[in-house]
Amino acid sequence: MRMTKKHLESIKTILLNVLVLISLVLTWQIWTFEPEYEKETTPSENRTVGVKEVELNQVIKPNQVVFHQNDQHFTSFERNTIDSYYTDFISGTRVKSVMMVDNVESLVNRDESVEFVFPISLSNDVLKSLVSVAKGDIPLEVFDRIIIPSAQTGKNNEVIFLNSSNQNGMRATVDVSRDMKDWFDGDFSTLEESSGGKVARARSYQYNDKTPAFYLPTNDIQLKSYGVSTDELTNIDSFITALFPDENAVEENTYINSSSLYTDGSRDLNYDKPSDYMVFQNPQSTSSNFVANEAPIMNAYGFINKHFGFQVSDPNDDYFLSEWVTSSKHKTDRITFRLNTQGYPVFSPSQEDLDEIVVTLKNNEISTYKRMLKVIQYANDIETSTIPSYDEVVSLLDEGNFKKNAITNFTIGYTIIPNTSDNSYDYSLVPQWYIKLNQTWTPLQNLEQGGDDFGLE
């Protein structure tokens, strides 16, 4: 058949219509395409660096243990003393059933019991990650203390979870391990005050009947002060590899003060070379929703576990959960894990010292990650310091210009101070009392031997 001009025009029209249709399809696909930004912006999916990961119960621990026996109280803030029982309790306890209790006074009848005091309030979902819990809801939303009665016989034992700030609690029927029962029969039944500040006789301090009861040693405690030297945890290249999806796209900008900014155009890693301090910033989430729940603690724990972790060079130097500050206004959660060394937590008057690993989440996604890239290499005791007793602590509280009902916790800790007097060590660790006012740990008294004033205002 002869191709006529009319046929040719028809073919051109058909081809044109097909091209227009293909163009429309491609345009629609471009408009509706949604790239997987989550894969690009989540640093936790990059390479893992550092030492071995640790279990949650090695990171979330009490900062005090109290023994109630024969109408007397004994207490310890020292890590090994706390762990000697807490580890067995966490690993060997299974919650079978729970019941909320309205009569708080019946819960806080602590005769013949052991009490664990945590530095922050923990959610019930964190509880489910710490101990084995049978199926069912946990009605107590948050708790900061666990009370374990010593009358542990048979299989149906009881544990009390207490929210000391709101004065409500929950009874839990539990199965416990043989180690836990043996501890009650052995160590607890022969408990005596020990030297060195590990276990001390204590008295109860309670501002009013609506505030928590705290247990403070009745006598002065003698603790050593230390001079410590530091070593490199790792070099910054390890974190560049771990925190950026494509390390080849990372550019370095060096500043006059010897600090560097590493960036791929989206993420920033600020590194202060003189102090070996790093701050990583991840792109902010575009989500407008904010749900306050336990996820920030678990997310921060998982993230740090994959980025040099909580255990550093010395097995006695670990980081433990210390603070959790949430802000619905800014849609953020700040999770702080605090260095513990020589058996006690470490606090610094500076923002760039060895005492903390801080993760900030925005809309439950990693926003910033801060930590020091050096560790304590060794510690030498330099002198013995005196930690004030109950009477002096109460006197200092009375002199303080703050609301006493804002106190949520006490601990003995080390203040870490850069050493400027000689080159024999890098920092000194000086023990003293710290109190927690709302969300912030604050030194109770001034440092001795003419140190800087870190007291309350």
Side-chain angles (χ1 to χ4, degrees):
M1 182 177 65
R2 183 181 178 184
M3 179 71 69
T4 64
K5 185 176 182 181
K6 182 178 180 180
H7 288 152
L8 184 60
E9 292 298 326
S10 296
I11 292 173
K12 289 181 178 179
T13 301
I14 293 172
L15 290 174
L16 180 61
N17 289 335
V18 170
L19 291 174
V20 170
L21 181 60
I22 293 174
S23 177
L24 290 173
V25 170
L26 292 175
T27 301
W28 179 82
Q29 289 181 334
I30 293 173
W31 286 347
T32 58
F33 174 69
E34 295 183 2
E36 295 185 13
Y37 291 112
E38 184 68 22
K39 293 293 184 182
E40 280 293 307
T41 60
T42 304
S44 60
E45 295 188 5
N46 299 327
R47 187 179 303 175
T48 299
V49 298
V51 297
K52 65 178 182 180
E53 297 183 16
V54 300
E55 299 294 330
L56 186 67
N57 60 22
Q58 295 179 268
V59 175
I60 298 180
K61 295 186 176 185
N63 65 290
Q64 182 184 10
V65 62
V66 186
F67 309 99
H68 308 282
Q69 186 181 63
N70 298 326
D71 295 324
Q72 300 180 85
H73 311 293
F74 299 85
T75 191
S76 179
F77 296 89
E78 196 267 337
R79 174 54 46 201
N80 289 335
T81 304
I82 297 171
D83 284 353
S84 64
Y85 182 58
Y86 174 75
T87 301
D88 288 337
F89 167 74
I90 286 296
S91 61
T93 299
R94 178 178 182 271
V95 175
K96 298 168 60 178
S97 62
V98 296
M99 179 182 66
M100 289 293 291
V101 176
D102 296 329
N103 183 7
V104 177
E105 292 183 0
S106 68
L107 286 176
V108 297
N109 182 10
R110 297 174 170 89
D111 189 34
E112 304 298 320
S113 64
V114 179
E115 182 170 355
F116 293 120
V117 181
F118 290 84
I120 69 169
S121 293
L122 302 171
S123 69
N124 53 25
D125 283 338
V126 172
L127 172 62
K128 294 177 183 178
S129 299
L130 286 174
V131 299
S132 175
V133 180
K135 293 182 179 179
D137 294 332
I138 301 294
L140 185 66
E141 292 185 358
V142 296
F143 69 96
D144 59 349
R145 302 193 185 195
I146 300 176
I147 302 172
I148 310 166
S150 63
Q152 304 288 337
T153 58
K155 295 183 178 180
N156 295 321
N157 302 301
E158 184 178 79
V159 171
I160 297 166
F161 296 92
L162 183 67
N163 181 341
S164 64
S165 297
N166 293 341
Q167 294 291 291
N168 61 357
M170 176 181 73
R171 293 185 185 276
T173 302
V174 299
D175 280 334
V176 296
S177 67
R178 172 55 57 185
D179 289 339
M180 180 175 172
K181 294 178 181 179
D182 291 344
W183 189 92
F184 275 108
D185 294 337
D187 296 347
F188 183 77
S189 61
T190 59
L191 181 67
E192 294 180 356
E193 187 173 11
S194 69
S195 60
K198 293 186 177 181
V199 176
R201 194 179 300 274
R203 288 176 58 188
S204 172
Y205 170 81
Q206 189 171 20
Y207 180 66
N208 59 46
D209 58 4
K210 295 183 179 180
T211 58
F214 303 102
Y215 298 91
L216 309 174
T218 56
N219 298 318
D220 293 343
I221 296 176
Q222 303 297 314
L223 287 181
K224 294 183 180 298
S225 295
Y226 293 91
V228 300
S229 296
T230 58
D231 196 4
E232 185 181 63
L233 171 67
T234 185
N235 57 52
I236 194 65
D237 293 338
S238 298
F239 281 92
I240 293 174
T241 300
L243 296 170
F244 292 90
D246 182 7
E247 59 183 303
N248 294 323
V250 177
E251 296 182 355
E252 177 184 3
N253 298 309
T254 303
Y255 301 102
I256 298 177
N257 61 357
S258 297
S259 64
S260 294
L261 171 66
Y262 298 89
T263 181
D264 64 357
S266 179
R267 304 154 195 81
D268 294 335
L269 179 60
N270 290 279
Y271 175 52
D272 185 86
K273 294 180 181 179
S275 64
D276 276 343
Y277 185 78
M278 57 152 267
V279 180
F280 172 73
Q281 293 180 301
N282 200 41
Q284 292 188 357
S285 171
T286 58
S287 172
S288 60
N289 297 322
F290 176 77
V291 179
N293 54 28
E294 89 294 342
I297 292 178
M298 302 302 293
N299 289 347
Y301 155 75
F303 181 78
I304 295 173
N305 232 354
K306 293 183 179 298
H307 297 89
F308 241 95
F310 299 94
Q311 289 187 342
V312 287
S313 58
D314 190 324
N316 295 318
D317 295 341
D318 298 325
Y319 288 87
F320 304 124
L321 181 64
S322 178
E323 290 103 59
W324 174 21
V325 181
T326 184
S327 171
S328 57
K329 178 181 178 181
H330 298 98
K331 303 178 182 178
T332 59
D333 292 275
R334 187 177 76 247
I335 315 297
T336 301
F337 298 88
R338 184 166 302 283
L339 174 67
N340 277 242
T341 188
Q342 308 302 319
Y344 295 92
V346 176
F347 301 88
S348 172
S350 168
Q351 295 299 312
E352 298 181 2
D353 274 325
L354 293 167
D355 60 323
E356 297 176 347
I357 301 174
V358 182
V359 172
T360 302
L361 299 100
K362 191 174 182 65
N363 292 332
N364 292 320
E365 296 178 1
I366 302 297
S367 176
T368 62
Y369 174 39
K370 304 178 182 180
R371 74 177 300 162
M372 186 71 75
L373 300 189
K374 59 185 178 183
V375 295
I376 293 177
Q377 184 179 24
Y378 62 85
N380 293 324
D381 59 284
I382 52 179
E383 60 185 355
T384 299
S385 299
T386 299
I387 304 300
S389 64
Y390 177 95
D391 290 335
E392 188 173 347
V393 169
V394 172
S395 178
L396 289 169
L397 293 175
D398 292 339
E399 295 173 4
N401 184 22
F402 60 90
K403 295 180 180 180
K404 308 303 184 294
N405 59 2
I407 300 175
T408 58
N409 213 319
F410 282 81
T411 195
I412 295 173
Y414 282 110
T415 298
I416 185 168
I417 309 168
N419 178 34
T420 57
S421 59
D422 56 59
N423 296 323
S424 59
Y425 52 88
D426 299 326
Y427 297 88
S428 59
L429 297 173
V430 181
Q432 66 177 126
W433 277 110
Y434 277 81
I435 62 174
K436 200 169 191 179
L437 295 173
N438 296 319
Q439 303 288 348
T440 304
W441 287 104
T442 305
L444 178 59
Q445 76 276 25
N446 298 340
L447 290 175
E448 299 177 1
Q449 289 84 37
D452 295 332
D453 186 352
F454 301 115
L456 298 176
E457 297 180 355

